[in-house]
Amino acid sequence: MRVTIIGSGYVGLVAGACFAETGNDVVCADVDTQKIERLRRNDIPIYEPGLEPLVRRNQADGRLAFTTDVGAAVERAQVVFIAVGTPPGEDGSADLQHVLEVARVIGRHLNEPKVVATKSTVPVGTADRVREAIQAETAVPFSVCANPEFLKEGAAVEDFMKPDRVIVGVEDDRARELMEELYAPYNRKGNRIIFMDIPSAEVTKYAANAMLATRISFMNQIAALCERVGADVAHVRHGIGSDQRIGSAFLYPGPGYGGSCFPKDVKALIRTAREQALPFELLEAVEKVNERQKRVLLEKIDRLLGPRLAGHTIGVWGLAFKAETDDMLESPAIPLIEGLLERGATVLAHDPHAMDTARALFDDRITYARDPYAAAHGASALVVVTEWLVYRTPDFGRLRAELERPLVVDGRNLYEPARMAALGFEYHAIGRR
């Protein structure tokens, strides 16, 4: 099938490479000339495991191409995906200006009936606005559908190739047939594609992320309670996660959620509810809890070392908002490091893949360590922010020797408190004794 994806960011690039991998003729179009030139050279601007080999292989085999000629890319396609960004506005609503501009370009280049699918994360009602924008430019018939993505950063290729589900909101049989054919290689068991009406598909995307964000904030509140009453959140998590009605996923306490999805999507869903005169107090509380949780590691440092940190060096393990990505958008590491700098500390930081991203944010205000142990050298405390595998089983003897004070503040509960005490560390985790 001839597929065009407009927008070559995280979602568009992963979708394009994965569609090409199953034999489709795919063009990824973007107005960013520099990005397209990099992609043509197989220079991937994001870190995502498994993505670079897909791009390289499918470009070499002629199934994947990159272009800045968006109009021509539209004209050659049977299915056109809109995968441009929808950044949050000041009021929390999703900014649809890029989506609607793409829709107008599609309308001007609609040379035959096509299916236009929204892949960007968009609020309910967006498909109607896309349809109107296209219709204003053409009399050629077309179909609109909603096909939200559910990719986890750090596992996006795996998620796309072996999805839990594929949600497709359709309005006619032609769109359904084409989308069913396109996704057939990822639906070998015959139970992965869920067709529904378009508004339901649009709401499903936000509802899924809002539910996951709610579980995270809930568990962080439980962890705070555990610290107050002397309970161990690891035991509590095991106890409630064993209930099949609840399950264990997304019940890990930590320093708050971040990234390009959860914070933005929670805000957008709150805004959508307000537009319908429906206060969404639960999600407002989820957001409030998360913003407070991002200060929890800094508050622990304040209690342990005091609010004045001049003369102290603090080591930080992990800068990305989660492991297996270089994305620092809304990362808990940002308020932690800014707070440490405000208190006069010297910050030594390490991350396996987000160092360049961090340099763009902090420049020379922090020191970038060559390896995890260099980030602990001479430090009064080590703070674990991101759960990278390389931090899970360190050489604890070497780590203790590097630290000036054997103080570890573990924002991801990677280690067992009893073992850390036996090894001579002062160990403070989230919700653990």
PDB file of all heavy atoms in Angstrom, residues 273-296:
ATOM      1  N   ALA A 273     -12.931  18.657  29.135  1.00  0.00           N
ATOM      2  CA  ALA A 273     -14.052  18.520  30.069  1.00  0.00           C
ATOM      3  C   ALA A 273     -14.611  19.885  30.459  1.00  0.00           C
ATOM      4  O   ALA A 273     -15.835  20.076  30.535  1.00  0.00           O
ATOM      5  CB  ALA A 273     -13.606  17.744  31.302  1.00  0.00           C
ATOM      6  N   ARG A 274     -13.725  20.837  30.697  1.00  0.00           N
ATOM      7  CA  ARG A 274     -14.186  22.183  31.066  1.00  0.00           C
ATOM      8  C   ARG A 274     -15.005  22.816  29.942  1.00  0.00           C
ATOM      9  O   ARG A 274     -15.994  23.516  30.194  1.00  0.00           O
ATOM     10  CB  ARG A 274     -12.988  23.066  31.394  1.00  0.00           C
ATOM     11  CG  ARG A 274     -12.343  22.764  32.743  1.00  0.00           C
ATOM     12  CD  ARG A 274     -11.105  23.611  32.950  1.00  0.00           C
ATOM     13  NE  ARG A 274     -10.456  23.308  34.219  1.00  0.00           N
ATOM     14  CZ  ARG A 274      -9.232  23.691  34.542  1.00  0.00           C
ATOM     15  NH1 ARG A 274      -8.514  24.401  33.655  1.00  0.00           N
ATOM     16  NH2 ARG A 274      -8.705  23.373  35.704  1.00  0.00           N
ATOM     17  N   GLU A 275     -14.584  22.573  28.705  1.00  0.00           N
ATOM     18  CA  GLU A 275     -15.327  23.118  27.572  1.00  0.00           C
ATOM     19  C   GLU A 275     -16.741  22.550  27.491  1.00  0.00           C
ATOM     20  O   GLU A 275     -17.635  23.161  26.897  1.00  0.00           O
ATOM     21  CB  GLU A 275     -14.572  22.840  26.275  1.00  0.00           C
ATOM     22  CG  GLU A 275     -13.278  23.639  26.139  1.00  0.00           C
ATOM     23  CD  GLU A 275     -12.457  23.212  24.950  1.00  0.00           C
ATOM     24  OE1 GLU A 275     -12.816  22.178  24.324  1.00  0.00           O
ATOM     25  OE2 GLU A 275     -11.460  23.888  24.639  1.00  0.00           O
ATOM     26  N   GLN A 276     -16.929  21.383  28.089  1.00  0.00           N
ATOM     27  CA  GLN A 276     -18.252  20.761  28.139  1.00  0.00           C
ATOM     28  C   GLN A 276     -18.950  21.022  29.474  1.00  0.00           C
ATOM     29  O   GLN A 276     -19.934  20.346  29.812  1.00  0.00           O
ATOM     30  CB  GLN A 276     -18.112  19.250  27.921  1.00  0.00           C
ATOM     31  CG  GLN A 276     -17.462  18.862  26.614  1.00  0.00           C
ATOM     32  CD  GLN A 276     -18.231  19.372  25.407  1.00  0.00           C
ATOM     33  OE1 GLN A 276     -19.465  19.335  25.387  1.00  0.00           O
ATOM     34  NE2 GLN A 276     -17.507  19.878  24.406  1.00  0.00           N
ATOM     35  N   ALA A 277     -18.434  22.005  30.221  1.00  0.00           N
ATOM     36  CA  ALA A 277     -18.988  22.360  31.534  1.00  0.00           C
ATOM     37  C   ALA A 277     -18.973  21.170  32.488  1.00  0.00           C
ATOM     38  O   ALA A 277     -19.883  20.982  33.304  1.00  0.00           O
ATOM     39  CB  ALA A 277     -20.403  22.916  31.392  1.00  0.00           C
ATOM     40  N   LEU A 278     -17.929  20.346  32.393  1.00  0.00           N
ATOM     41  CA  LEU A 278     -17.793  19.167  33.236  1.00  0.00           C
ATOM     42  C   LEU A 278     -16.489  19.260  34.025  1.00  0.00           C
ATOM     43  O   LEU A 278     -15.421  18.955  33.493  1.00  0.00           O
ATOM     44  CB  LEU A 278     -17.788  17.896  32.379  1.00  0.00           C
ATOM     45  CG  LEU A 278     -17.549  16.573  33.119  1.00  0.00           C
ATOM     46  CD1 LEU A 278     -18.707  16.274  34.063  1.00  0.00           C
ATOM     47  CD2 LEU A 278     -17.354  15.434  32.117  1.00  0.00           C
ATOM     48  N   PRO A 279     -16.532  19.689  35.268  1.00  0.00           N
ATOM     49  CA  PRO A 279     -15.307  19.732  36.072  1.00  0.00           C
ATOM     50  C   PRO A 279     -14.747  18.324  36.237  1.00  0.00           C
ATOM     51  O   PRO A 279     -15.488  17.378  36.515  1.00  0.00           O
ATOM     52  CB  PRO A 279     -15.777  20.301  37.417  1.00  0.00           C
ATOM     53  CG  PRO A 279     -17.086  20.954  37.131  1.00  0.00           C
ATOM     54  CD  PRO A 279     -17.713  20.171  36.015  1.00  0.00           C
ATOM     55  N   PHE A 280     -13.452  18.176  36.050  1.00  0.00           N
ATOM     56  CA  PHE A 280     -12.808  16.867  36.154  1.00  0.00           C
ATOM     57  C   PHE A 280     -11.883  16.904  37.370  1.00  0.00           C
ATOM     58  O   PHE A 280     -10.659  16.927  37.255  1.00  0.00           O
ATOM     59  CB  PHE A 280     -12.025  16.566  34.875  1.00  0.00           C
ATOM     60  CG  PHE A 280     -11.978  15.113  34.503  1.00  0.00           C
ATOM     61  CD1 PHE A 280     -11.982  14.717  33.177  1.00  0.00           C
ATOM     62  CD2 PHE A 280     -11.914  14.124  35.480  1.00  0.00           C
ATOM     63  CE1 PHE A 280     -11.940  13.379  32.823  1.00  0.00           C
ATOM     64  CE2 PHE A 280     -11.862  12.789  35.149  1.00  0.00           C
ATOM     65  CZ  PHE A 280     -11.884  12.411  33.807  1.00  0.00           C
ATOM     66  N   GLU A 281     -12.492  16.898  38.567  1.00  0.00           N
ATOM     67  CA  GLU A 281     -11.723  17.066  39.802  1.00  0.00           C
ATOM     68  C   GLU A 281     -10.682  15.967  39.993  1.00  0.00           C
ATOM     69  O   GLU A 281      -9.602  16.214  40.529  1.00  0.00           O
ATOM     70  CB  GLU A 281     -12.654  17.093  41.019  1.00  0.00           C
ATOM     71  CG  GLU A 281     -13.549  18.316  41.093  1.00  0.00           C
ATOM     72  CD  GLU A 281     -14.938  18.043  40.508  1.00  0.00           C
ATOM     73  OE1 GLU A 281     -15.060  17.069  39.724  1.00  0.00           O
ATOM     74  OE2 GLU A 281     -15.872  18.791  40.836  1.00  0.00           O
ATOM     75  N   LEU A 282     -10.999  14.751  39.562  1.00  0.00           N
ATOM     76  CA  LEU A 282     -10.057  13.650  39.750  1.00  0.00           C
ATOM     77  C   LEU A 282      -8.759  13.917  39.006  1.00  0.00           C
ATOM     78  O   LEU A 282      -7.663  13.804  39.574  1.00  0.00           O
ATOM     79  CB  LEU A 282     -10.684  12.340  39.264  1.00  0.00           C
ATOM     80  CG  LEU A 282      -9.774  11.105  39.320  1.00  0.00           C
ATOM     81  CD1 LEU A 282      -9.311  10.836  40.739  1.00  0.00           C
ATOM     82  CD2 LEU A 282     -10.480   9.888  38.739  1.00  0.00           C
ATOM     83  N   LEU A 283      -8.841  14.301  37.722  1.00  0.00           N
ATOM     84  CA  LEU A 283      -7.619  14.551  36.957  1.00  0.00           C
ATOM     85  C   LEU A 283      -6.901  15.807  37.432  1.00  0.00           C
ATOM     86  O   LEU A 283      -5.670  15.884  37.373  1.00  0.00           O
ATOM     87  CB  LEU A 283      -7.932  14.654  35.468  1.00  0.00           C
ATOM     88  CG  LEU A 283      -8.104  13.336  34.715  1.00  0.00           C
ATOM     89  CD1 LEU A 283      -8.179  13.591  33.223  1.00  0.00           C
ATOM     90  CD2 LEU A 283      -6.981  12.357  35.024  1.00  0.00           C
ATOM     91  N   GLU A 284      -7.659  16.785  37.899  1.00  0.00           N
ATOM     92  CA  GLU A 284      -7.009  17.975  38.462  1.00  0.00           C
ATOM     93  C   GLU A 284      -6.170  17.594  39.670  1.00  0.00           C
ATOM     94  O   GLU A 284      -5.065  18.115  39.860  1.00  0.00           O
ATOM     95  CB  GLU A 284      -8.076  19.001  38.830  1.00  0.00           C
ATOM     96  CG  GLU A 284      -8.752  19.632  37.609  1.00  0.00           C
ATOM     97  CD  GLU A 284      -9.950  20.486  37.983  1.00  0.00           C
ATOM     98  OE1 GLU A 284     -10.263  20.587  39.191  1.00  0.00           O
ATOM     99  OE2 GLU A 284     -10.574  21.053  37.066  1.00  0.00           O
ATOM    100  N   ALA A 285      -6.667  16.650  40.477  1.00  0.00           N
ATOM    101  CA  ALA A 285      -5.905  16.180  41.636  1.00  0.00           C
ATOM    102  C   ALA A 285      -4.692  15.366  41.194  1.00  0.00           C
ATOM    103  O   ALA A 285      -3.609  15.480  41.778  1.00  0.00           O
ATOM    104  CB  ALA A 285      -6.799  15.339  42.542  1.00  0.00           C
ATOM    105  N   VAL A 286      -4.855  14.539  40.148  1.00  0.00           N
ATOM    106  CA  VAL A 286      -3.733  13.764  39.616  1.00  0.00           C
ATOM    107  C   VAL A 286      -2.602  14.694  39.195  1.00  0.00           C
ATOM    108  O   VAL A 286      -1.425  14.459  39.500  1.00  0.00           O
ATOM    109  CB  VAL A 286      -4.203  12.907  38.420  1.00  0.00           C
ATOM    110  CG1 VAL A 286      -3.014  12.347  37.645  1.00  0.00           C
ATOM    111  CG2 VAL A 286      -5.104  11.772  38.897  1.00  0.00           C
ATOM    112  N   GLU A 287      -2.953  15.748  38.493  1.00  0.00           N
ATOM    113  CA  GLU A 287      -1.954  16.714  38.031  1.00  0.00           C
ATOM    114  C   GLU A 287      -1.287  17.422  39.204  1.00  0.00           C
ATOM    115  O   GLU A 287      -0.060  17.610  39.226  1.00  0.00           O
ATOM    116  CB  GLU A 287      -2.631  17.730  37.109  1.00  0.00           C
ATOM    117  CG  GLU A 287      -1.682  18.674  36.420  1.00  0.00           C
ATOM    118  CD  GLU A 287      -2.407  19.602  35.473  1.00  0.00           C
ATOM    119  OE1 GLU A 287      -3.464  20.156  35.851  1.00  0.00           O
ATOM    120  OE2 GLU A 287      -1.916  19.785  34.346  1.00  0.00           O
ATOM    121  N   LYS A 288      -2.076  17.797  40.193  1.00  0.00           N
ATOM    122  CA  LYS A 288      -1.538  18.491  41.362  1.00  0.00           C
ATOM    123  C   LYS A 288      -0.581  17.593  42.134  1.00  0.00           C
ATOM    124  O   LYS A 288       0.511  18.025  42.549  1.00  0.00           O
ATOM    125  CB  LYS A 288      -2.684  18.938  42.265  1.00  0.00           C
ATOM    126  CG  LYS A 288      -2.243  19.731  43.487  1.00  0.00           C
ATOM    127  CD  LYS A 288      -3.453  20.187  44.297  1.00  0.00           C
ATOM    128  CE  LYS A 288      -3.017  20.967  45.534  1.00  0.00           C
ATOM    129  NZ  LYS A 288      -4.206  21.398  46.329  1.00  0.00           N
ATOM    130  N   VAL A 289      -0.960  16.342  42.319  1.00  0.00           N
ATOM    131  CA  VAL A 289      -0.094  15.391  43.014  1.00  0.00           C
ATOM    132  C   VAL A 289       1.223  15.229  42.256  1.00  0.00           C
ATOM    133  O   VAL A 289       2.303  15.193  42.857  1.00  0.00           O
ATOM    134  CB  VAL A 289      -0.797  14.024  43.164  1.00  0.00           C
ATOM    135  CG1 VAL A 289       0.191  12.939  43.605  1.00  0.00           C
ATOM    136  CG2 VAL A 289      -1.940  14.127  44.165  1.00  0.00           C
ATOM    137  N   ASN A 290       1.154  15.139  40.937  1.00  0.00           N
ATOM    138  CA  ASN A 290       2.369  14.932  40.154  1.00  0.00           C
ATOM    139  C   ASN A 290       3.315  16.118  40.240  1.00  0.00           C
ATOM    140  O   ASN A 290       4.535  15.940  40.335  1.00  0.00           O
ATOM    141  CB  ASN A 290       2.017  14.654  38.695  1.00  0.00           C
ATOM    142  CG  ASN A 290       3.197  14.135  37.911  1.00  0.00           C
ATOM    143  OD1 ASN A 290       3.743  13.080  38.226  1.00  0.00           O
ATOM    144  ND2 ASN A 290       3.625  14.883  36.901  1.00  0.00           N
ATOM    145  N   GLU A 291       2.768  17.312  40.183  1.00  0.00           N
ATOM    146  CA  GLU A 291       3.630  18.495  40.292  1.00  0.00           C
ATOM    147  C   GLU A 291       4.317  18.532  41.649  1.00  0.00           C
ATOM    148  O   GLU A 291       5.497  18.881  41.758  1.00  0.00           O
ATOM    149  CB  GLU A 291       2.806  19.762  40.065  1.00  0.00           C
ATOM    150  CG  GLU A 291       2.388  19.956  38.620  1.00  0.00           C
ATOM    151  CD  GLU A 291       3.568  19.931  37.664  1.00  0.00           C
ATOM    152  OE1 GLU A 291       4.542  20.679  37.901  1.00  0.00           O
ATOM    153  OE2 GLU A 291       3.535  19.148  36.696  1.00  0.00           O
ATOM    154  N   ARG A 292       3.594  18.145  42.702  1.00  0.00           N
ATOM    155  CA  ARG A 292       4.200  18.104  44.031  1.00  0.00           C
ATOM    156  C   ARG A 292       5.240  16.990  44.121  1.00  0.00           C
ATOM    157  O   ARG A 292       6.290  17.151  44.759  1.00  0.00           O
ATOM    158  CB  ARG A 292       3.113  17.917  45.084  1.00  0.00           C
ATOM    159  CG  ARG A 292       3.630  18.010  46.523  1.00  0.00           C
ATOM    160  CD  ARG A 292       2.509  18.152  47.521  1.00  0.00           C
ATOM    161  NE  ARG A 292       1.634  16.984  47.522  1.00  0.00           N
ATOM    162  CZ  ARG A 292       0.347  17.017  47.199  1.00  0.00           C
ATOM    163  NH1 ARG A 292      -0.217  18.157  46.839  1.00  0.00           N
ATOM    164  NH2 ARG A 292      -0.382  15.920  47.239  1.00  0.00           N
ATOM    165  N   GLN A 293       4.964  15.857  43.463  1.00  0.00           N
ATOM    166  CA  GLN A 293       5.874  14.720  43.538  1.00  0.00           C
ATOM    167  C   GLN A 293       7.221  15.023  42.902  1.00  0.00           C
ATOM    168  O   GLN A 293       8.241  14.462  43.313  1.00  0.00           O
ATOM    169  CB  GLN A 293       5.235  13.499  42.865  1.00  0.00           C
ATOM    170  CG  GLN A 293       5.951  12.189  43.143  1.00  0.00           C
ATOM    171  CD  GLN A 293       5.811  11.732  44.586  1.00  0.00           C
ATOM    172  OE1 GLN A 293       4.962  12.250  45.324  1.00  0.00           O
ATOM    173  NE2 GLN A 293       6.631  10.790  45.002  1.00  0.00           N
ATOM    174  N   LYS A 294       7.237  15.898  41.921  1.00  0.00           N
ATOM    175  CA  LYS A 294       8.501  16.239  41.273  1.00  0.00           C
ATOM    176  C   LYS A 294       9.458  16.973  42.211  1.00  0.00           C
ATOM    177  O   LYS A 294      10.638  17.136  41.897  1.00  0.00           O
ATOM    178  CB  LYS A 294       8.243  17.077  40.023  1.00  0.00           C
ATOM    179  CG  LYS A 294       7.645  16.272  38.871  1.00  0.00           C
ATOM    180  CD  LYS A 294       7.478  17.119  37.630  1.00  0.00           C
ATOM    181  CE  LYS A 294       6.924  16.306  36.471  1.00  0.00           C
ATOM    182  NZ  LYS A 294       6.776  17.125  35.248  1.00  0.00           N
ATOM    183  N   ARG A 295       8.958  17.415  43.373  1.00  0.00           N
ATOM    184  CA  ARG A 295       9.808  18.085  44.359  1.00  0.00           C
ATOM    185  C   ARG A 295      10.276  17.142  45.456  1.00  0.00           C
ATOM    186  O   ARG A 295      11.049  17.535  46.328  1.00  0.00           O
ATOM    187  CB  ARG A 295       9.033  19.243  45.008  1.00  0.00           C
ATOM    188  CG  ARG A 295       8.394  20.216  44.049  1.00  0.00           C
ATOM    189  CD  ARG A 295       9.396  21.114  43.386  1.00  0.00           C
ATOM    190  NE  ARG A 295      10.087  21.984  44.312  1.00  0.00           N
ATOM    191  CZ  ARG A 295      11.028  22.858  43.970  1.00  0.00           C
ATOM    192  NH1 ARG A 295      11.397  22.953  42.693  1.00  0.00           N
ATOM    193  NH2 ARG A 295      11.619  23.619  44.868  1.00  0.00           N
ATOM    194  N   VAL A 296       9.815  15.879  45.424  1.00  0.00           N
ATOM    195  CA  VAL A 296      10.045  14.988  46.562  1.00  0.00           C
ATOM    196  C   VAL A 296      11.531  14.674  46.753  1.00  0.00           C
ATOM    197  O   VAL A 296      12.014  14.601  47.889  1.00  0.00           O
ATOM    198  CB  VAL A 296       9.206  13.698  46.423  1.00  0.00           C
ATOM    199  CG1 VAL A 296       9.737  12.800  45.299  1.00  0.00           C
ATOM    200  CG2 VAL A 296       9.161  12.936  47.729  1.00  0.00           C
TER     201      VAL A 296
END
